[in-house]
Structure formats: structure tokens, C-alpha cells
Amino acid sequence: MWSSARDVAAGDLVIIWQTRELIQPLLITPGKDLNSRFGYYRHADLVGIPYGSKVGSRNGKGFIHVLRPTPELWTMALPHRTQILYLADIAFITSWLDIKRGSSVIEAGTGSGSFSHSIARTIGSVGHLWSYEFHEARANKAREEFSLHGMADIVTLTHRNVCKDGFTVEDTVDAVFLDLPAPWDAIEHAKKALKKTSPTRICCFSPCMEQVLRTVSALNDSGFTDITMFETLLRPHEVHQLSLQPLTLAVEKLKKLEQKREDKRQHQIARSSKRKRDDLQETDADNVGGKRLRTQESGDEDVSIRDIPDAVVDPGQSANQPSPIKLSVSKVSPDVRGHTSYLTFARLVPTAPSKSVAIQE
């Protein structure tokens, strides 16, 4: 689909990664410049560098990464002409529709082409994707992108209202994906396009439950089976690395803390005994029966744990102690990504030949 060379060349489409939220496609055209809040870059400086390189700006304001395009990166960087499908839904749909290398697939609702790029990679050069778009301007723009990305031989894009006029193929495809406002109007047309000789599958992408209900009714009426609906939600995990001390170091540290507490306790006992002896030896006749006001001497101040020196450790012994253990842990993010759409799946099983046909054969 895209360039498979090791280095970037003039005319290549690359993905410029600036931050997680700022990813953009760039067509390398010597003589042009790229300006962003992370600096100033000349296209000519990017020619000849390996894909994946980190490039510093000419004015020292930052850096970018130059990446080779993939369907996943294209989904994150493409210019949005419509609401698009994201990776979680694309992967789930591809799996349930059993799309693989060599499959023949129909997509109704090309939109921005996010789903088209992933399916084109999956089916490869031996498969084919028929894509249909109702909006003429979007269809023309998507056709330009497919040609630029080397997908013209894999994808056939048609400007057509499939709900009214149907598809351009019959008894041909293994799977149908409908991303339409009214998918129930295209169910019968999809049934004609699916192969009659093997089990086939269909998926409808609908944002509202009312659309799902009407779609399920249409699927039942058209003879589809195994009708089921899913909703895909993302729950990110935050991964951190912790440094854990070996058990021997932890035990040694606890022993030192216990020794410090014991030393402090013995010191307090000694001070208390000394004060009692001083009280018995020194009395004031004017304060008979009362308590003498005590003043702390500078030598009897409380001693903090920090003031007690650590136990002396043999330098040769510390060198033999095991190093801390690195442990990767994940924490589930409390925020869950919002609803995108409901995915309604169904299967179409070929009908058995009638008895009269079987007898004639």
C-alpha cells in the first residue's frame, strides 16, 4: 500500500508524530516546509532518513518522529470528512465478519476511509473491496487517497445510493459492512450481493438503538440467522514500573528501625531515672508539698531517630547485596471511552436445493 523502502524518499506519504494528540500525514515535497509549535522543518531534510527517525527542528524548539504509514496510524492522522471507525471497532468487525486474505468485501459508507484502509491490508492483493459512497465530493476525495496510497487495484469505489439502487455485484462477496443512516433499506440488496454457495456474514454499524431494532427486524425478514449485537467500549490501562527491594534488604531495614526504636527507648528510661534522682536530692523549702518547676538542660534534650547513627555496614558486604527488582504494573483508568455505535451481526446460510432439483441432478 505505502512505500516499503527503508528510507524516506521524495513523494512518500509519512506520518509526523508530535504528541499523542497531534499526529498528521505529510507528503514529502522538497522545497516545502513544515511549521509547528515544535519547530521548523524542511521537507528536503527528511529525504533519505530511515523511517522511525527522531528529527530535531532547525530552530531548536523541539523534535518530531517520522513514521511509516499503517492503517492504525492513518486512522489516527487522517483528515476527518465524517465520523470515522476507530481501531477497537475495526478489529472487532474484521474478526466477526471472518475477513482474511483473499476475501471479497462490500463496504457501504466510505466516509473518510478509515475502515477501507484496514480492510485493504487484511484482504491483500488477492482480495477485493467494493466501497460505495452516497456523497459525491467525499467519494472523489477518497478515490484520490486510495490511488495515492497504492490501493487502486484492491478497492473499487463507486458513487451510488445503495439503499435505492443496490450494489453493482451479485452473488460475489463473503461479507458486507453497512455504515448507513438507514441500513434496513439495504439489507435485501446486500443479500443479493452475498455468495449463495457458502455461509456469509453482514455487519450494520448504528449509533442509535432505534436503528438497531429496525435493522434486526429487516434481517429476520430477509432470512438471516445468528443475529447478535455488541457495543465496544475502551478502558485504558496505565502502566508503571516499580522498583522493589529484595526481601533480604527489607528485613535488614526493619532490623535497623527496630534497633533505633530500642536505643531511643533505653535513652528515655535513663533520662527518666536521672530526673527522679535529681528530684530526691534537690528540694526547695518554699515549695514543700508542691511540684518543682523543671527545666530541660541542654544535655537532656529529646533525641530524634534521625540523630541516632545507622549501624556500620561493611562496604564489601553492600557490594554483594542483590539489586532492586523492576516490576511493571498496570492500573485501570477510571475513565471509560464513550459510546461510538452498536454493531449488529448476522449470518446468511445457503438454502438447501429443493427435492425436484436434486432428482433432476
Side-chain angles (χ1 to χ4, degrees), residues 69-190:
T70 64
E72 291 80 10
L73 288 173
W74 181 250
T75 295
M76 300 169 68
L78 61 80
H80 287 213
R81 297 182 290 272
T82 60
Q83 179 66 27
I84 69 171
L85 271 76
Y86 290 94
L87 303 180
D89 287 324
I90 293 174
F92 197 75
I93 294 168
T94 303
S95 175
W96 271 84
L97 291 184
D98 195 26
I99 300 175
K100 51 187 179 294
R101 180 173 174 80
S103 295
S104 299
V105 184
I106 280 179
E107 172 197 20
T110 308
S112 301
S114 172
F115 185 75
S116 309
H117 282 77
S118 291
I119 296 303
R121 179 186 60 180
T122 302
I123 62 179
S125 58
V126 294
H128 201 80
L129 172 66
W130 285 269
S131 187
Y132 299 87
E133 174 58 47
F134 172 76
H135 194 276
E136 185 175 4
R138 289 199 295 262
N140 293 334
K141 184 61 178 178
R143 188 178 292 108
E144 293 176 6
E145 290 179 350
F146 293 162
S147 178
L148 178 63
H149 301 169
M151 299 164 50
D153 296 335
I154 305 175
V155 182
T156 298
L157 178 58
T158 304
H159 170 229
R160 189 181 183 91
N161 183 357
V162 297
C163 294
K164 179 181 178 181
D165 303 323
F167 300 101
T168 56
V169 295
E170 292 187 6
D171 192 13
T172 303
V173 300
D174 303 294
V176 173
F177 174 68
L178 303 179
D179 184 6
L180 303 170
W184 52 88
D185 290 334
I187 296 297
E188 277 297 328
H189 299 303

Side-chain angles (χ1 to χ4, degrees), residues 261-298:
R261 282 194 286 266
E262 181 63 21
D263 292 344
K264 181 180 179 181
R265 190 178 69 86
Q266 294 295 338
H267 184 74
Q268 290 175 343
I269 292 175
R271 287 180 57 226
S272 178
S273 300
K274 183 176 180 300
R275 285 177 178 175
K276 289 181 179 179
R277 289 195 300 268
D278 292 344
D279 289 343
L280 292 175
Q281 292 175 0
E282 298 178 3
T283 57
D284 190 343
D286 296 335
N287 297 316
V288 175
K291 293 185 178 180
R292 185 176 61 86
L293 182 63
R294 302 172 185 172
T295 59
Q296 281 191 337
E297 298 180 1
S298 61

Side-chain angles (χ1 to χ4, degrees), residues 178 180-188 202-206 208-230 342-347:
L178 303 179
L180 303 170
W184 52 88
D185 290 334
I187 296 297
E188 277 297 328
I202 187 172
C203 174
C204 301
F205 187 83
S206 304
C208 302
M209 186 57 67
E210 291 77 8
Q211 293 172 305
V212 173
L213 295 176
R214 295 192 63 175
T215 301
V216 169
S217 298
L219 290 170
N220 278 317
D221 295 340
S222 297
F224 286 85
T225 60
D226 295 339
I227 301 173
T228 183
M229 186 270 289
F230 296 92
Y342 298 108
L343 304 175
T344 305
F345 295 93
R347 297 176 70 235

Side-chain angles (χ1 to χ4, degrees), residues 222-332:
S222 297
F224 286 85
T225 60
D226 295 339
I227 301 173
T228 183
M229 186 270 289
F230 296 92
E231 181 184 19
T232 306
L233 297 176
L234 291 180
R235 174 169 289 177
H237 285 245
E238 300 173 359
V239 181
H240 304 279
Q241 190 176 64
L242 300 180
S243 179
L244 300 181
Q245 293 183 349
L247 183 60
T248 54
L249 294 180
V251 171
E252 188 66 28
K253 187 175 181 180
L254 289 175
K255 288 181 178 180
K256 291 180 180 180
L257 292 176
E258 284 293 333
Q259 185 62 41
K260 288 181 179 180
R261 282 194 286 266
E262 181 63 21
D263 292 344
K264 181 180 179 181
R265 190 178 69 86
Q266 294 295 338
H267 184 74
Q268 290 175 343
I269 292 175
R271 287 180 57 226
S272 178
S273 300
K274 183 176 180 300
R275 285 177 178 175
K276 289 181 179 179
R277 289 195 300 268
D278 292 344
D279 289 343
L280 292 175
Q281 292 175 0
E282 298 178 3
T283 57
D284 190 343
D286 296 335
N287 297 316
V288 175
K291 293 185 178 180
R292 185 176 61 86
L293 182 63
R294 302 172 185 172
T295 59
Q296 281 191 337
E297 298 180 1
S298 61
D300 293 335
E301 292 180 353
D302 290 338
V303 179
S304 172
I305 293 179
R306 299 186 182 88
D307 298 331
I308 302 175
D310 294 339
V312 179
V313 181
D314 185 5
Q317 181 181 359
S318 61
N320 297 328
Q321 291 180 350
S323 59
I325 300 172
K326 299 293 185 180
L327 180 65
S328 295
V329 298
S330 65
K331 177 184 177 182
V332 179

